Amino acid sequence: MMKRLVLHAVAVAGAALSLVGCGGGAERPNVVLVVVDSLRADALGGEPSASRAIDRLAEEGVRFERAVAPASWNLPSVSSLITSTPPWVHGQGAPASGAGEIATLAETFAAAGYRTGAFTEMAWPLLQRGFETFQNTAFKHTFGDPESNSAAPTLQAALEWAQQDDSKPFFLVVHTYEVHSYFLGKPRHHERARAEQPAYEGPFREWAIRDLSQPAGPQVIEALLQANDDDLAYVRSLYRGAVAEVDAEVGRFVEGLQESGHDDRTVLALTSSNGEGFRPDLKRVHHGGRLHHDLLHVPLIVRWPGRLEPAANSSLVATLDVAPTLVELAGLPEQPLFAGRPLVAPVGGLLASLRGPRFHAPKLSKEPVVAQEAAFRILPSGEREAATEPQYALYLDWVTFIDSGDQVELYDLK
Protein backbone atom coordinates (compact mmCIF):
# COMPACT_ATOMS: atom_id res chain seq x y z
CA MET A 1 0.00 0.00 0.00
CA MET A 2 2.78 2.46 0.95
CA LYS A 3 4.60 1.67 -2.30
CA ARG A 4 1.44 2.41 -4.33
CA LEU A 5 0.92 5.71 -2.49
CA VAL A 6 4.51 6.79 -3.18
CA LEU A 7 4.20 5.85 -6.84
CA HIS A 8 0.90 7.74 -7.04
CA ALA A 9 2.47 10.86 -5.48
CA VAL A 10 5.38 10.71 -7.89
CA ALA A 11 2.97 10.37 -10.83
CA VAL A 12 0.92 13.38 -9.67
CA ALA A 13 4.06 15.47 -9.21
CA GLY A 14 5.30 14.44 -12.62
CA ALA A 15 2.02 15.39 -14.22
CA ALA A 16 2.06 18.75 -12.47
CA LEU A 17 5.61 19.42 -13.62
CA SER A 18 4.59 18.42 -17.12
CA LEU A 19 1.77 20.96 -17.06
CA VAL A 20 4.12 23.66 -15.81
CA GLY A 21 6.57 22.89 -18.56
CA CYS A 22 3.83 23.01 -21.20
CA GLY A 23 3.03 26.61 -20.44
CA GLY A 24 0.34 26.66 -17.72
CA GLY A 25 2.63 27.85 -14.91
CA ALA A 26 5.45 28.83 -17.26
CA GLU A 27 3.47 31.42 -19.21
CA ARG A 28 5.79 34.28 -19.97
CA PRO A 29 5.04 37.47 -18.07
CA ASN A 30 4.39 40.91 -19.45
CA VAL A 31 7.32 43.25 -18.79
CA VAL A 32 7.04 47.02 -18.18
CA LEU A 33 10.00 49.39 -17.79
CA VAL A 34 9.11 52.85 -16.43
CA VAL A 35 11.82 55.53 -16.68
CA VAL A 36 11.20 58.73 -14.70
CA ASP A 37 13.78 61.15 -16.04
CA SER A 38 15.88 63.09 -13.47
CA LEU A 39 14.37 61.33 -10.44
CA ARG A 40 16.84 61.31 -7.54
CA ALA A 41 16.89 58.20 -5.36
CA ASP A 42 16.33 60.30 -2.23
CA ALA A 43 13.23 61.95 -3.75
CA LEU A 44 11.21 58.84 -2.89
CA GLY A 45 9.79 58.13 0.55
CA GLY A 46 10.30 60.32 3.60
CA GLU A 47 7.66 62.17 5.56
CA PRO A 48 5.54 63.49 4.13
CA SER A 49 6.17 61.38 1.05
CA ALA A 50 5.54 62.77 -2.42
CA SER A 51 5.65 59.25 -3.86
CA ARG A 52 3.16 57.05 -2.05
CA ALA A 53 2.25 54.94 -5.09
CA ILE A 54 5.90 54.32 -5.99
CA ASP A 55 6.63 53.65 -2.31
CA ARG A 56 4.02 50.86 -2.43
CA LEU A 57 5.72 49.37 -5.48
CA ALA A 58 8.98 49.36 -3.51
CA GLU A 59 7.30 47.61 -0.57
CA GLU A 60 5.77 44.99 -2.84
CA GLY A 61 8.93 44.39 -4.87
CA VAL A 62 12.69 44.59 -4.59
CA ARG A 63 14.16 48.03 -3.91
CA PHE A 64 17.82 48.25 -4.88
CA GLU A 65 19.16 50.87 -2.50
CA ARG A 66 22.47 51.49 -4.26
CA ALA A 67 21.74 51.63 -7.98
CA VAL A 68 24.13 53.69 -10.10
CA ALA A 69 23.44 55.20 -13.53
CA PRO A 70 26.14 55.02 -16.24
CA ALA A 71 25.90 58.74 -17.11
CA SER A 72 24.63 62.01 -15.67
CA TRP A 73 22.05 62.83 -18.36
CA ASN A 74 19.44 60.96 -20.32
CA LEU A 75 20.77 60.27 -23.84
CA PRO A 76 23.74 58.12 -22.81
CA SER A 77 22.06 56.81 -19.66
CA VAL A 78 18.82 55.58 -21.23
CA SER A 79 20.79 54.16 -24.17
CA SER A 80 22.79 52.12 -21.66
CA LEU A 81 19.60 51.07 -19.89
CA ILE A 82 18.04 49.56 -23.01
CA THR A 83 21.26 47.97 -24.37
CA SER A 84 23.07 46.98 -21.15
CA THR A 85 26.24 48.52 -22.55
CA PRO A 86 28.28 51.49 -21.26
CA PRO A 87 28.25 54.84 -23.10
CA TRP A 88 31.62 54.32 -24.77
CA VAL A 89 30.23 51.18 -26.43
CA HIS A 90 26.86 52.42 -27.73
CA GLY A 91 28.23 55.89 -28.53
CA GLN A 92 25.13 57.92 -27.64
CA GLY A 93 26.31 61.20 -26.09
CA ALA A 94 29.86 59.84 -26.09
CA PRO A 95 32.47 58.80 -28.66
CA ALA A 96 32.03 55.09 -29.42
CA SER A 97 34.98 52.75 -29.05
CA GLY A 98 33.93 50.72 -32.06
CA ALA A 99 33.39 47.70 -29.82
CA GLY A 100 30.92 46.15 -32.24
CA GLU A 101 27.30 45.05 -32.34
CA ILE A 102 24.74 45.90 -29.67
CA ALA A 103 21.22 44.60 -29.03
CA THR A 104 18.27 46.42 -27.47
CA LEU A 105 15.78 45.09 -24.95
CA ALA A 106 12.94 45.62 -27.42
CA GLU A 107 14.73 43.56 -30.08
CA THR A 108 15.34 40.80 -27.53
CA PHE A 109 11.67 40.62 -26.50
CA ALA A 110 10.42 40.95 -30.08
CA ALA A 111 12.57 37.98 -31.12
CA ALA A 112 10.94 35.97 -28.31
CA GLY A 113 7.44 36.63 -29.69
CA TYR A 114 6.46 39.60 -27.52
CA ARG A 115 4.54 42.55 -28.87
CA THR A 116 6.60 45.64 -28.13
CA GLY A 117 5.55 49.22 -27.44
CA ALA A 118 7.13 52.44 -26.17
CA PHE A 119 5.44 55.65 -25.05
CA THR A 120 8.06 58.29 -24.37
CA GLU A 121 8.64 62.03 -24.30
CA MET A 122 11.87 61.75 -26.26
CA ALA A 123 13.14 59.83 -29.29
CA TRP A 124 16.34 58.86 -31.08
CA PRO A 125 17.09 55.99 -33.48
CA LEU A 126 18.67 53.59 -30.96
CA LEU A 127 15.79 54.05 -28.51
CA GLN A 128 13.26 53.19 -31.23
CA ARG A 129 14.90 49.96 -32.36
CA GLY A 130 12.78 46.83 -31.94
CA PHE A 131 9.41 48.46 -31.17
CA GLU A 132 6.31 47.64 -33.19
CA THR A 133 4.67 50.70 -31.64
CA PHE A 134 6.71 53.79 -30.74
CA GLN A 135 4.98 57.02 -29.78
CA ASN A 136 6.62 60.27 -28.74
CA THR A 137 3.78 61.74 -26.68
CA ALA A 138 5.50 65.11 -26.18
CA PHE A 139 5.57 65.84 -29.93
CA LYS A 140 7.24 69.22 -30.56
CA HIS A 141 7.24 70.08 -26.85
CA THR A 142 10.55 68.59 -25.78
CA PHE A 143 9.62 68.60 -22.11
CA GLY A 144 5.83 68.45 -22.50
CA ASP A 145 3.36 71.35 -22.66
CA PRO A 146 4.19 73.78 -19.80
CA GLU A 147 0.48 74.52 -19.37
CA SER A 148 -0.57 70.92 -18.89
CA ASN A 149 0.82 67.57 -17.84
CA SER A 150 3.17 65.32 -19.78
CA ALA A 151 3.10 62.23 -17.52
CA ALA A 152 -0.70 61.85 -17.71
CA PRO A 153 -1.07 61.39 -21.49
CA THR A 154 2.09 59.30 -21.67
CA LEU A 155 1.08 56.75 -19.03
CA GLN A 156 -2.55 56.76 -20.19
CA ALA A 157 -1.51 55.95 -23.77
CA ALA A 158 0.78 53.21 -22.46
CA LEU A 159 -2.02 51.72 -20.35
CA GLU A 160 -4.47 51.69 -23.26
CA TRP A 161 -1.89 49.90 -25.40
CA ALA A 162 -1.22 47.34 -22.63
CA GLN A 163 -4.94 46.67 -22.25
CA GLN A 164 -5.40 45.73 -25.91
CA ASP A 165 -6.83 42.26 -26.35
CA ASP A 166 -3.88 40.26 -27.58
CA SER A 167 -2.78 36.72 -26.91
CA LYS A 168 0.89 37.69 -26.91
CA PRO A 169 2.69 38.90 -23.79
CA PHE A 170 3.94 42.47 -24.10
CA PHE A 171 7.13 44.41 -23.46
CA LEU A 172 6.45 48.07 -22.74
CA VAL A 173 8.73 51.05 -22.10
CA VAL A 174 7.29 54.23 -20.58
CA HIS A 175 9.40 57.37 -20.22
CA THR A 176 8.35 60.72 -18.78
CA TYR A 177 10.06 64.11 -18.47
CA GLU A 178 7.60 65.31 -15.79
CA VAL A 179 10.17 65.42 -12.96
CA HIS A 180 12.89 66.71 -15.28
CA SER A 181 10.54 69.61 -16.16
CA TYR A 182 9.98 70.97 -12.66
CA PHE A 183 11.41 74.28 -13.92
CA LEU A 184 8.65 74.84 -16.52
CA GLY A 185 6.29 76.42 -13.99
CA LYS A 186 3.45 73.92 -14.23
CA PRO A 187 0.56 74.96 -11.96
CA ARG A 188 0.34 71.68 -10.03
CA HIS A 189 4.07 71.72 -9.27
CA HIS A 190 3.73 75.25 -7.86
CA GLU A 191 0.65 74.26 -5.87
CA ARG A 192 2.74 71.71 -3.97
CA ALA A 193 5.63 74.14 -3.47
CA ARG A 194 3.37 76.91 -2.15
CA ALA A 195 1.66 74.49 0.21
CA GLU A 196 5.02 73.35 1.61
CA GLN A 197 6.60 76.82 1.64
CA PRO A 198 3.65 79.20 2.29
CA ALA A 199 5.81 82.06 3.58
CA TYR A 200 8.11 82.12 0.57
CA GLU A 201 7.81 85.27 -1.59
CA GLY A 202 11.12 85.12 -3.46
CA PRO A 203 11.89 85.09 -7.19
CA PHE A 204 11.18 81.38 -7.67
CA ARG A 205 7.56 81.64 -6.55
CA GLU A 206 6.57 82.31 -10.18
CA TRP A 207 9.56 80.50 -11.76
CA ALA A 208 8.82 79.29 -15.28
CA ILE A 209 11.38 78.77 -18.02
CA ARG A 210 9.25 79.21 -21.12
CA ASP A 211 11.83 80.12 -23.78
CA LEU A 212 12.33 76.63 -25.20
CA SER A 213 13.83 78.07 -28.39
CA GLN A 214 17.04 78.06 -26.34
CA PRO A 215 18.46 75.03 -24.47
CA ALA A 216 16.75 74.78 -21.09
CA GLY A 217 19.79 73.45 -19.21
CA PRO A 218 21.89 76.64 -19.21
CA GLN A 219 18.84 78.66 -18.15
CA VAL A 220 18.19 76.32 -15.21
CA ILE A 221 21.85 76.39 -14.20
CA GLU A 222 22.00 80.19 -14.29
CA ALA A 223 18.89 80.49 -12.13
CA LEU A 224 19.90 77.89 -9.53
CA LEU A 225 23.45 79.21 -9.13
CA GLN A 226 21.92 82.46 -7.85
CA ALA A 227 19.53 80.76 -5.40
CA ASN A 228 19.84 81.30 -1.63
CA ASP A 229 18.72 78.86 1.05
CA ASP A 230 15.09 80.04 1.02
CA ASP A 231 15.00 79.89 -2.76
CA LEU A 232 16.38 76.36 -2.71
CA ALA A 233 13.80 75.20 -0.18
CA TYR A 234 11.08 76.38 -2.55
CA VAL A 235 12.77 74.87 -5.60
CA ARG A 236 13.12 71.51 -3.84
CA SER A 237 9.39 71.65 -3.02
CA LEU A 238 8.70 72.50 -6.66
CA TYR A 239 10.66 69.40 -7.62
CA ARG A 240 8.65 67.37 -5.09
CA GLY A 241 5.50 68.68 -6.77
CA ALA A 242 6.73 67.18 -10.04
CA VAL A 243 7.51 63.89 -8.26
CA ALA A 244 3.99 63.84 -6.79
CA GLU A 245 2.51 64.40 -10.26
CA VAL A 246 4.39 61.43 -11.70
CA ASP A 247 3.56 59.32 -8.67
CA ALA A 248 -0.17 59.89 -9.14
CA GLU A 249 0.06 58.79 -12.77
CA VAL A 250 2.13 55.71 -11.92
CA GLY A 251 -0.53 54.82 -9.34
CA ARG A 252 -3.29 55.11 -11.95
CA PHE A 253 -1.24 53.01 -14.37
CA VAL A 254 -0.80 50.20 -11.83
CA GLU A 255 -4.50 50.34 -10.91
CA GLY A 256 -5.32 50.02 -14.61
CA LEU A 257 -3.14 46.91 -14.90
CA GLN A 258 -4.92 45.44 -11.90
CA GLU A 259 -8.39 46.19 -13.25
CA SER A 260 -7.54 44.55 -16.57
CA GLY A 261 -6.14 41.44 -14.91
CA HIS A 262 -2.56 42.05 -15.99
CA ASP A 263 -0.97 42.93 -12.64
CA ASP A 264 -0.12 39.46 -11.29
CA ARG A 265 1.47 38.42 -14.57
CA THR A 266 3.42 41.62 -15.16
CA VAL A 267 6.99 42.40 -14.17
CA LEU A 268 7.28 46.13 -13.53
CA ALA A 269 10.64 47.88 -13.17
CA LEU A 270 10.95 51.58 -12.32
CA THR A 271 14.16 53.57 -12.49
CA SER A 272 15.63 56.88 -13.65
CA SER A 273 18.19 58.14 -16.12
CA ASN A 274 19.96 60.43 -13.63
CA GLY A 275 19.44 62.61 -10.59
CA GLU A 276 19.35 66.39 -10.20
CA GLY A 277 21.63 68.88 -8.44
CA PHE A 278 20.55 71.49 -5.89
CA ARG A 279 23.90 72.64 -4.40
CA PRO A 280 24.87 76.10 -5.68
CA ASP A 281 27.32 76.38 -2.76
CA LEU A 282 29.32 73.57 -4.44
CA LYS A 283 28.51 74.79 -7.98
CA ARG A 284 26.58 71.54 -8.47
CA VAL A 285 23.16 72.29 -9.94
CA HIS A 286 20.99 70.64 -12.60
CA HIS A 287 22.61 67.62 -14.33
CA GLY A 288 25.19 66.70 -16.94
CA GLY A 289 28.84 67.73 -16.98
CA ARG A 290 29.89 65.98 -13.77
CA LEU A 291 29.67 62.57 -12.09
CA HIS A 292 28.85 63.18 -8.44
CA HIS A 293 26.58 60.93 -6.40
CA ASP A 294 23.55 63.26 -6.57
CA LEU A 295 23.42 62.62 -10.33
CA LEU A 296 24.39 58.94 -10.43
CA HIS A 297 22.43 57.48 -7.49
CA VAL A 298 19.02 56.57 -8.94
CA PRO A 299 16.03 54.56 -7.74
CA LEU A 300 15.58 51.02 -8.98
CA ILE A 301 12.49 48.97 -8.11
CA VAL A 302 11.52 45.61 -9.61
CA ARG A 303 8.12 44.11 -8.78
CA TRP A 304 6.34 40.90 -9.81
CA PRO A 305 3.47 40.06 -7.41
CA GLY A 306 3.63 36.53 -6.10
CA ARG A 307 6.76 35.68 -8.10
CA LEU A 308 9.53 37.97 -6.84
CA GLU A 309 10.13 38.05 -3.09
CA PRO A 310 9.90 41.63 -1.71
CA ALA A 311 13.13 42.90 -0.18
CA ALA A 312 15.46 45.86 0.25
CA ASN A 313 18.76 44.95 -1.39
CA SER A 314 21.92 46.87 -0.44
CA SER A 315 24.23 45.45 -3.11
CA LEU A 316 26.04 47.93 -5.36
CA VAL A 317 24.35 47.56 -8.76
CA ALA A 318 24.22 49.38 -12.09
CA THR A 319 21.26 50.22 -14.28
CA LEU A 320 23.14 48.23 -16.94
CA ASP A 321 21.88 45.27 -14.89
CA VAL A 322 18.21 46.06 -15.56
CA ALA A 323 18.07 44.49 -19.04
CA PRO A 324 19.60 41.14 -17.99
CA THR A 325 17.30 41.10 -14.95
CA LEU A 326 14.14 41.54 -17.05
CA VAL A 327 15.33 38.87 -19.49
CA GLU A 328 15.94 36.48 -16.57
CA LEU A 329 12.50 37.09 -15.06
CA ALA A 330 10.82 36.55 -18.42
CA GLY A 331 12.59 33.22 -18.85
CA LEU A 332 14.32 34.28 -22.07
CA PRO A 333 17.76 33.05 -23.12
CA GLU A 334 20.72 35.04 -21.85
CA GLN A 335 21.65 37.86 -24.22
CA PRO A 336 25.41 37.60 -24.88
CA LEU A 337 25.70 41.25 -25.95
CA PHE A 338 24.48 42.54 -22.56
CA ALA A 339 27.30 43.68 -20.27
CA GLY A 340 25.24 43.71 -17.06
CA ARG A 341 24.24 40.83 -14.80
CA PRO A 342 20.87 39.56 -13.57
CA LEU A 343 20.01 40.94 -10.14
CA VAL A 344 17.62 38.09 -9.34
CA ALA A 345 17.94 34.33 -9.03
CA PRO A 346 15.33 31.57 -9.24
CA VAL A 347 14.09 29.92 -6.06
CA GLY A 348 14.70 26.20 -6.39
CA GLY A 349 12.94 23.14 -5.00
CA LEU A 350 9.96 20.98 -5.92
CA LEU A 351 7.40 23.37 -4.42
CA ALA A 352 8.70 26.26 -6.51
CA SER A 353 8.51 24.08 -9.60
CA LEU A 354 4.91 23.10 -8.86
CA ARG A 355 3.78 26.67 -8.21
CA GLY A 356 5.60 28.15 -11.19
CA PRO A 357 8.76 30.27 -11.27
CA ARG A 358 9.76 32.13 -8.13
CA PHE A 359 12.66 34.57 -7.78
CA HIS A 360 14.55 36.43 -5.09
CA ALA A 361 17.24 39.11 -5.08
CA PRO A 362 20.31 37.62 -3.38
CA LYS A 363 23.22 39.48 -1.86
CA LEU A 364 25.36 40.01 -4.95
CA SER A 365 29.09 39.73 -5.36
CA LYS A 366 30.98 43.01 -5.18
CA GLU A 367 31.61 44.33 -8.66
CA PRO A 368 32.73 47.83 -9.68
CA VAL A 369 30.36 50.21 -11.46
CA VAL A 370 31.64 52.74 -13.99
CA ALA A 371 29.99 55.94 -15.28
CA GLN A 372 31.16 58.27 -18.03
CA GLU A 373 30.52 61.88 -19.01
CA ALA A 374 31.89 62.76 -22.46
CA ALA A 375 29.56 65.49 -23.73
CA PHE A 376 29.79 68.27 -21.13
CA ARG A 377 31.99 69.53 -18.34
CA ILE A 378 31.29 71.89 -15.45
CA LEU A 379 33.51 74.95 -15.11
CA PRO A 380 34.62 76.29 -11.69
CA SER A 381 31.82 78.86 -12.04
CA GLY A 382 29.25 76.04 -12.17
CA GLU A 383 28.38 76.75 -15.80
CA ARG A 384 28.39 73.94 -18.36
CA GLU A 385 30.29 73.76 -21.63
CA ALA A 386 31.21 71.14 -24.23
CA ALA A 387 33.69 68.53 -22.99
CA THR A 388 37.24 68.33 -24.26
CA GLU A 389 37.87 64.87 -22.79
CA PRO A 390 35.77 62.29 -20.94
CA GLN A 391 35.31 62.04 -17.19
CA TYR A 392 34.87 58.71 -15.37
CA ALA A 393 33.46 57.67 -12.03
CA LEU A 394 34.42 54.31 -10.54
CA TYR A 395 32.31 52.93 -7.69
CA LEU A 396 34.06 50.33 -5.55
CA ASP A 397 31.58 49.25 -2.89
CA TRP A 398 31.24 52.36 -0.69
CA VAL A 399 34.13 54.31 -2.24
CA THR A 400 33.94 56.38 -5.42
CA PHE A 401 36.76 57.77 -7.57
CA ILE A 402 35.96 60.55 -10.04
CA ASP A 403 38.50 61.28 -12.78
CA SER A 404 37.60 64.65 -14.28
CA GLY A 405 40.60 64.84 -16.60
CA ASP A 406 42.82 67.27 -14.73
CA GLN A 407 42.22 65.91 -11.24
CA VAL A 408 41.00 62.85 -9.35
CA GLU A 409 38.49 63.07 -6.50
CA LEU A 410 38.00 60.34 -3.87
CA TYR A 411 34.78 60.00 -1.85
CA ASP A 412 33.83 57.72 1.03
CA LEU A 413 30.06 57.48 0.57
CA LYS A 414 29.53 56.29 4.15
Side-chain angles (χ1 to χ4, degrees):
M1 175 62 75
M2 181 60 69
K3 183 177 180 180
R4 286 200 298 272
L5 287 173
V6 170
L7 289 174
H8 179 70
V10 170
V12 170
L17 287 171
S18 174
L19 287 172
V20 169
C22 287
E27 181 181 358
R28 284 178 174 166
N30 304 313
V31 178
V32 178
L33 174 58
V34 178
V35 185
V36 182
D37 208 286
S38 301
L39 179 65
R40 293 169 58 115
D42 63 5
L44 301 179
E47 280 298 333
S49 176
S51 57
R52 299 214 178 269
I54 298 176
D55 296 346
R56 283 194 298 274
L57 292 179
E59 292 170 0
E60 296 168 357
V62 178
R63 176 171 58 89
F64 293 94
E65 300 172 326
R66 298 170 60 211
V68 176
S72 60
W73 61 293
N74 55 39
L75 175 60
S77 187
V78 176
S79 297
S80 290
L81 181 65
I82 63 167
T83 64
S84 188
T85 58
W88 58 88
V89 172
H90 60 63
Q92 303 296 304
S97 65
E101 185 182 1
I102 58 176
T104 71
L105 257 178
E107 291 171 331
T108 302
F109 278 97
Y114 277 67
R115 65 184 179 104
T116 56
F119 297 83
T120 85
E121 292 156 27
M122 59 183 180
W124 58 86
L126 179 61
L127 180 62
Q128 296 175 239
R129 275 175 46 179
F131 287 106
E132 299 170 25
T133 300
F134 187 96
Q135 183 178 343
N136 182 352
T137 59
F139 301 107
K140 66 180 180 178
H141 300 290
T142 306
F143 305 117
D145 183 350
E147 298 299 331
S148 64
N149 183 303
S150 55
T154 301
L155 277 103
Q156 181 60 37
L159 178 62
E160 291 172 0
W161 180 88
Q163 290 174 326
Q164 292 175 10
D165 186 13
D166 196 305
S167 59
K168 291 182 179 180
F170 60 77
F171 170 66
L172 171 63
V173 169
V174 188
H175 164 274
T176 178
Y177 265 128
E178 186 77 47
V179 172
H180 179 289
S181 303
Y182 69 95
F183 52 79
L184 289 181
K186 296 184 179 183
R188 291 182 182 175
H189 301 178
H190 276 291
E191 286 176 14
R192 175 101 187 197
R194 289 167 185 165
E196 291 189 357
Q197 309 291 334
Y200 178 74
E201 296 292 342
F204 288 88
R205 185 175 173 83
E206 305 295 335
W207 193 35
I209 292 179
R210 297 293 172 82
D211 181 12
L212 297 184
S213 65
Q214 303 295 322
Q219 299 179 69
V220 176
I221 291 170
E222 181 182 9
L224 293 183
L225 286 174
Q226 301 175 44
N228 61 32
D229 289 347
D230 289 340
D231 297 334
L232 285 171
Y234 185 85
V235 169
R236 293 295 293 265
S237 291
L238 191 63
Y239 180 82
R240 283 166 52 80
V243 172
E245 189 76 359
V246 167
D247 184 72
E249 298 306 328
V250 169
R252 293 187 186 99
F253 178 82
V254 173
E255 288 174 3
L257 290 180
Q258 293 169 341
E259 291 170 359
S260 57
H262 286 306
D263 192 46
D264 289 346
R265 51 194 179 95
T266 298
V267 177
L268 190 152
L270 184 145
T271 189
S272 179
S273 54
N274 52 268
E276 182 73 355
F278 297 106
R279 292 296 301 272
D281 56 321
L282 299 176
K283 308 301 182 185
R284 298 178 188 170
V285 296
H286 202 40
H287 55 265
R290 59 186 180 83
L291 294 172
H292 295 104
H293 197 56
D294 58 339
L295 300 189
L296 298 182
H297 184 205
V298 294
L300 175 56
I301 298 164
V302 182
R303 171 184 175 268
W304 187 6
R307 301 290 185 180
L308 178 60
E309 295 176 2
N313 190 292
S314 61
S315 302
L316 177 63
V317 303
T319 56
L320 264 67
D321 301 326
V322 171
T325 300
L326 298 181
V327 165
E328 173 73 16
L329 289 169
L332 304 188
E334 181 181 346
Q335 173 51 257
L337 296 177
F338 288 172
R341 56 178 173 166
L343 302 179
V344 299
V347 176
L350 178 61
L351 186 58
S353 299
L354 291 172
R355 295 185 305 172
R358 294 292 191 277
F359 297 86
H360 71 117
K363 183 70 175 177
L364 299 161
S365 60
K366 295 180 180 180
E367 294 188 9
V369 176
V370 181
Q372 183 195 52
E373 169 59 277
F376 306 106
R377 69 170 181 169
I378 298 297
L379 301 172
S381 64
E383 297 173 306
R384 193 172 67 186
E385 69 172 16
T388 56
E389 57 185 298
Q391 304 172 50
Y392 295 93
L394 172 64
Y395 279 71
L396 295 167
D397 200 42
W398 285 101
V399 177
T400 298
F401 295 88
I402 299 175
D403 175 6
S404 58
D406 56 355
Q407 64 180 9
V408 174
E409 304 169 10
L410 170 64
Y411 295 89
D412 178 353
L413 297 181
K414 287 185 179 179

